Amino acid sequence: MIWVIAVVIWGIILLLPKVYNGLKFILSLAVLYGIREAFYSWADHYVVITTTTAVLFFGSIIGVWVANQIQITRHNKRIDTQNLAKRAEQDREKRRAELEKIDSDM
């Protein structure tokens, strides 16, 4: 049952990155539940399943965070490139206006 929950939550996190903050809360509750189950059944074989599930949850959180950081970095680079292109166009227009002014003065 825990594996089903783990796979469903893991799939949701990977498929719906825009609701990451809400899922992070649900995920942390699931991890806490898994840790509680591991504590309650310490000598039982479910400890391995629960620990694996907790590692899966934390790995998913870290993976989504890294993917989010990469997306933010790419977005910022794209914005920087657009800003540089706009600034270059403004500089060209400024120089053209200055040249026209110099030309009209002669």
Side-chain angles (χ1 to χ4, degrees):
M1 184 63 183
I2 291 178
W3 278 108
V4 173
I5 294 170
V7 169
V8 167
I9 292 176
W10 183 62
I12 289 172
I13 287 177
L14 291 179
L15 295 176
L16 302 172
K18 295 202 183 235
V19 293
Y20 170 66
N21 288 333
L23 288 175
K24 188 167 57 170
F25 176 73
I26 295 170
L27 199 61
S28 60
L29 290 178
V31 169
L32 289 175
Y33 174 76
I35 292 171
R36 184 185 70 128
E37 286 295 315
F39 181 72
Y40 285 158
S41 59
W42 184 256
D44 206 14
H45 69 280
Y46 288 108
V47 172
V48 174
I49 294 173
T50 309
T51 305
T52 305
T53 305
V55 168
L56 176 67
F57 288 149
F58 284 120
S60 297
I61 290 172
I62 292 169
V64 170
W65 181 81
V66 168
N68 193 15
Q69 295 304 313
I70 291 171
Q71 182 181 7
I72 289 170
T73 302
R74 287 181 180 168
H75 181 70
N76 288 342
K77 285 182 180 180
R78 184 172 38 246
I79 289 174
D80 289 344
T81 303
Q82 291 171 351
N83 288 340
L84 285 175
K86 286 178 185 176
R87 191 174 303 132
E89 183 64 31
Q90 289 171 350
D91 287 345
R92 274 193 296 263
E93 288 296 322
K94 190 179 186 182
R95 286 188 202 122
R96 189 179 60 78
E98 288 173 357
L99 286 174
E100 285 177 358
K101 183 179 178 185
I102 292 172
D103 234 7
S104 66
D105 287 342
M106 289 183 160

